[in-house]
Every structure is written in C-alpha cells, then in structure tokens.
Amino acid sequence: MMRLPTIFAILACCSLIACSEAEGGADGAESFRDRIGAGAEPAQAAGPAAEETALEDQLFSLLNGFDGFVGAAVHDIERGRTVDFNGGELFPQQSVSKLWVALAALRMVDRGELDLAEPALIGYRDLTLFHQPVRQFVVARGLYRTNYADLMARAITQSDNTANDVLLKRVGGPSAVRAAIDQAGLGTIRFGPGEREMQSAIAGLEWRQSFAVGRTFYQARAQVPDLQRRIAFDAYVTDPVDGASPRAIAVALGRIARGEVLQSATANHLLALLAQTKSGPRRLKGGVPQGWSIGHKTGTGQELRHEQAGYNDVGILTAPDGRRYAVAVMIGRTAVPVPQRMEMMHGVVRAVVAYHYAALGQPVPAGMLPEPLPATPAGPS
C-alpha cells in the first residue's frame, strides 16, 4: 500500500516549489531538487520487496510464453504477500472444486451439524461419471456402506466424483456450498451445478443416469455434432460455471492454513487429506525439492480435438523451516503436451523456492532445485 504524505507536507512542498520558480524559474526548481537531494529524503512509497518483484518476474517469464490460457498465484502464508500472473481471471476449476465441498462439510462439523462418522450409503443411482473408484464396490456388492469421513477422503485424495457427489448431497447441494464460500469470504470462487450436470453440458449433452454405466457417456458424446460440442466447450471455457481466480484460491488456502475459515481440528483434517492426495503426482508435486513437502488438489477437464478445458493443481508448499506458500496454477485451455504443462508447474515451484530463500537473505542450498525435465512422451499425471 502506498504511504501518502500528510496534507501539511504537501502544502509545504507546494510553497517551496512556488518560491523557487518565482526566484529563479527552471534554475530555481533545479536548485530546489538539489537541496532536497542533499537534505532529508522525502517519504518513499512502500513497494514490494525485492524477492516479490523477482517472483513476479519469474512467473511472467514462465507463463507468458506458455501456449494457452494460464494463470498462477503464490500466497506467502506467514507474511501475507501474494504474487500472481493473470491472478484475477476466471479459470475452470474442475476437481479443484472438491475443496469447497469439503470446506462446506467441515464448517457443518464445526457447527455440530455433521458427524463425519455418520453412515453413508451409495447405490447405482448415486454413480456419476469419469473417475469414480468407489464404483467398483457398488458393482461388486450392489450397495456400498461407508461414512462421510471416508467419502471426503476419497473425494480429496483420489478425486472420486461419486464420493464427492454423495458428500455434496449431504451438505445441502450446490447452493449450500456457494453459501459456505460466501460466508467464509473467499472471493472470486464459483461452484457449479455438480459433476453430472456440468460435465454433460460441457459435452453438449443433458445428463441421463445411464451415462454412469460403462462407456455410455463416451458413446453418447461421440454422437454429438462437432459444432454443438465446440459451442458448448467454448462457452464453458469462456465463462466457466465452476470458475475461480488463482489469486482467490491461493489466498483461500492460506486462510484455511492460518485457521481463519475452519476451527483448528477441522482445518488440520483438510490439510492432512491434501497431503495424502494421490492424483497428479507429476504436477506441482513432481517439482518439490528434497526437504520440502506439498498438500495439493488437482483438476482435469475434458478434451476436444486435443484441446483441454482445465488442467490445474493447487496446494500448500511447506519449506524445511515450516514456512508455507499457497500455490495455484490453472490452465484454462491448452493443446500443449502434458510434459510441458508439468514442467511449467515445476518451474513455478522452483520460483517459490527461490523466493523463500531470498526472503530469508540466503542462497538456495546447492543441489536443492531439480533440473528441468527432458521432453518425454505424455504419461499418467
């Protein structure tokens, strides 16, 4: 924030300048500047620290040349600083939005309205689409009996769509999650209509429960005319119903970590789940150096003609000394090969590590930063 001089200082400066110009024109003004330089220095505007500027430059260098719509934000949780690139733009969240379902549930726990040990039941009518490991239990047994703690863990650590959808119903549906986001003051974070409706709309379809079985959804999507799919796909990327800004997500993660949004026990529960995430091991996590750790949540959208709508990773990096940095890297649209996306994310991690040590006035320890990945064929991410 800029530090403004007092009205008295402004009036005094104006008076001196007027006198100087009256006595000696341009020479008088120059003489006045010389006297200022030789005497007490005028008040300076408080600007970003050198390491913040360096981090901003590194983010620009990494992301500005990336072929796609991309944004990132880094929030220094202990110092309260935030640096970003396209940080205020709306990006599709995809499964990153599972964070807000968990948040809504944990706020209910804090209010005594939900016990995570409460039994939950999943049947065929509860199945969704895409990634849903819990489906195997439903197929094998007809019904899967569990509790909401298990469903939350599956939603966060495995990005299980059905587990998340059943938890979403328990907290009161999309409107309840939106209310939780608003009540927590998390800013520019939207929550969509739910996985089934949203993914169907992105494909130019309307949801039918038969899509949850086998390859039915993929077969139906393949029958959608190209123009219809393109219109639906572009509409989603341009104005995503689950859109969020990288800056809002990074700051929200920081507030959760500081205990400002949830009580201590529930905040720690969510952070512990993020640390156990299995999806996206080669995204941000793949660039984390030895001695550091990360808890994170990925999000991956549909593809159309090799172009992907949403390829994200957000989380909290923890340095060896315990300092924490919330990081959000979001790709709204790209056709860049997956290894290049991951290498860009690794570059963001390297930039955060460099910022951490610069803020401490120390060099990065020798050998800590990993070398950039060589170009390799796309694989599991």
Side-chain angles (χ1 to χ4, degrees), residues 132-306:
Q132 46 178 337
V134 75
R135 179 179 180 274
Q136 62 183 314
F137 303 117
V138 176
V139 171
R141 308 170 190 174
L143 288 173
Y144 177 55
R145 300 178 187 277
T146 184
N147 58 41
Y148 288 103
D150 175 57
L151 295 182
M152 184 182 294
R154 291 178 180 278
I156 297 297
T157 68
Q158 299 181 31
S159 210
D160 189 308
N161 288 333
T162 292
N164 187 69
D165 198 58
V166 175
L167 181 62
L168 174 61
K169 291 176 185 176
R170 176 62 182 84
V171 302
S175 61
V177 176
R178 294 179 197 126
I181 292 170
D182 289 343
Q183 290 162 8
L186 301 188
T188 314
I189 297 174
R190 295 176 176 176
F191 189 81
E195 201 73 28
R196 293 183 279 193
E197 291 79 3
M198 185 179 77
Q199 299 298 350
S200 298
I202 294 169
L205 293 165
E206 290 187 6
W207 173 255
R208 298 197 305 267
Q209 191 57 35
S210 60
F211 289 167
V213 180
R215 302 282 302 174
T216 309
F217 177 84
Y218 298 95
Q219 293 164 358
R221 186 174 67 180
Q223 299 302 312
V224 178
D226 286 348
L227 180 59
Q228 183 176 334
R229 277 208 68 191
R230 173 53 66 183
I231 291 172
F233 186 92
D234 289 346
Y236 169 68
V237 176
T238 302
D239 189 19
V241 293
D242 65 336
S245 74
R247 187 181 185 97
I249 290 178
V251 172
L253 289 173
R255 292 188 60 209
I256 291 170
R258 289 193 297 267
E260 297 173 4
V261 177
L262 296 166
Q263 294 179 12
S264 178
T266 45
N268 288 337
H269 183 78
L270 180 54
L271 296 176
L273 290 178
L274 292 175
Q276 299 168 36
T277 293
K278 298 177 175 63
S279 61
R282 297 172 61 196
R283 298 190 194 185
L284 287 174
K285 190 174 184 178
V288 175
Q290 185 174 7
W292 289 64
S293 62
I294 188 171
H296 67 127
K297 182 72 196 77
T298 59
T300 308
Q302 295 184 51
E303 290 187 12
L304 177 61
R305 302 291 180 262
H306 307 294

Side-chain angles (χ1 to χ4, degrees), residues 20 23 57 62 65 78 80 131 142 149 161 163 183-184 259 291 319 323 325 336 365 374:
S20 297
E23 293 172 0
D57 290 345
L62 283 164
E78 275 68 43
H131 192 65
N161 288 333
Q183 290 162 8
R323 288 187 181 270
Y325 304 92
V336 167

Side-chain angles (χ1 to χ4, degrees), residues 114-137:
L114 172 64
D115 183 342
L116 292 181
E118 180 182 317
L121 192 65
I122 301 178
Y124 278 99
R125 66 181 181 180
D126 300 306
L127 296 178
T128 57
L129 73 171
F130 297 149
H131 192 65
Q132 46 178 337
V134 75
R135 179 179 180 274
Q136 62 183 314
F137 303 117

Side-chain angles (χ1 to χ4, degrees), residues 62-84:
L62 283 164
L63 277 62
N64 189 55
F66 185 84
D67 188 8
F69 177 43
V70 62
V74 177
H75 178 66
D76 184 331
I77 294 174
E78 275 68 43
R79 298 182 184 91
R81 305 169 176 174
T82 308
V83 176
D84 63 68

